[in-house]
Amino acid sequence: MNRGMGDDERHDAPHDDATDELLAAVVAGDVERDDPRVAALPIERRRRLDALLRLQERLDEAADDERALLDEIDGVADGAAATRTGPVVLPGPRRLASTFWLRAAGVTAVAAGLLLLVQSLLPPEPAAPPGGGSLGGGQLGSEVAIELLAPRGAVDSFAPFQWRLADAPPLARYVLLIWDGSGPAPDSGGRPLIEREVDGTQWSPAAGDPPLPRRIAWRVDLRPLDGARQRGPVETAWRER
């Protein structure tokens, strides 16, 4: 279906929370514009970010103009107070006052526009999961369709643990949880033997990790750049010997 789509149509994909959070962080100054994560964004998102930064620049310029005008008014008032020997003539007070309020209104309008645009990038507050609980640490939101590839069923070795997720959001991380397969089921709230946050889509135990029993149950959750952690499916595996 995508073969007939042009570049603009492909870049017009629905917003995802992680990308919008990254844009908001750049506008807020928490992330630099030349950050590699920004360069990896789709072109449509980078265009939106550039528009926001231009608007923010206009807001900064308007604020500088307002400060300069206030300094000008203060200078006129100080000069008038220092000259008490004759009638005081203020240079165009009506013009200064009207200019001040016009500029102040402009600053307010630009600030309101920037605020609305930034708020439109922020994802809605995630809904609490049924029962308000979590498994393996961290609040869990809706389930996500991660495909657990290995290990599954009878195997010679558990490592490496491998999984995949179609259309994974950018900059997302995964949380791998492993339970003793002969103990309480994961959905019953049993404590995992291992819980690791992983950048990629596979993981192998290190020397310092707890040894795994003959039978295990394991799950992979999705942790977006920002937002609720999403629960993945559970798989079981056991060593044949």
Side-chain angles (χ1 to χ4, degrees):
M1 292 178 63
N2 292 335
R3 293 179 180 176
M5 294 174 62
D7 289 340
D8 291 340
E9 294 177 4
R10 286 194 299 269
H11 292 313
D12 233 358
H15 297 285
D16 64 75
D17 293 347
T19 299
D20 288 345
E21 277 296 320
L22 177 60
L23 298 187
V26 175
V27 173
D30 297 332
V31 176
E32 297 294 335
R33 174 63 177 83
D34 57 356
D35 191 286
R37 294 173 294 176
V38 177
L41 290 174
I43 186 171
E44 188 63 31
R45 300 294 192 274
R46 282 185 276 123
R47 287 175 180 169
R48 168 177 286 211
L49 175 60
D50 290 338
L52 280 172
L53 293 177
R54 286 194 297 270
L55 182 57
Q56 186 180 49
E57 185 177 356
R58 288 181 56 198
L59 178 60
D60 292 340
E61 291 173 353
D64 291 340
D65 288 345
E66 181 184 354
R67 284 192 292 268
L69 181 58
L70 289 172
D71 291 341
E72 182 182 353
I73 293 174
D74 289 341
V76 170
D78 292 342
T83 307
R84 298 293 186 181
T85 59
V88 177
V89 179
L90 296 179
R94 292 180 181 271
R95 177 184 62 81
L96 283 175
S98 62
T99 303
F100 171 78
W101 289 114
L102 284 173
R103 290 186 180 181
V107 170
T108 302
V110 174
L114 180 61
L115 178 62
L116 288 174
L117 281 173
V118 172
Q119 286 179 338
S120 71
L121 294 177
L122 297 177
E125 289 295 325
S134 63
L135 295 179
Q139 284 299 113
L140 295 180
S142 58
E143 293 191 2
V144 62
I146 295 176
E147 184 180 0
L148 304 183
L149 303 177
R152 300 175 59 183
V155 295
D156 293 330
S157 172
F158 291 138
F161 289 80
Q162 297 176 305
W163 59 91
R164 66 185 174 194
L165 174 62
D167 300 323
L171 310 178
R173 297 169 67 86
Y174 300 92
V175 180
L176 171 67
L177 305 102
I178 305 174
W179 288 267
D180 184 342
S182 61
D187 288 340
S188 69
R191 184 177 181 83
L193 298 172
I194 293 177
E195 181 172 355
R196 296 287 184 272
E197 189 163 305
V198 185
D199 287 327
T201 56
Q202 72 173 34
W203 178 85
S204 295
D209 289 320
L212 296 178
R214 182 172 177 273
R215 184 180 187 91
I216 62 170
W218 62 289
R219 189 181 83 208
V220 176
D221 297 340
L222 176 68
R223 190 189 296 279
L225 179 65
D226 196 1
R229 174 171 152 187
Q230 300 174 46
R231 187 202 313 262
V234 175
E235 185 60 76
T236 57
W238 56 92
R239 286 193 292 259
E240 289 186 311
R241 59 180 182 273

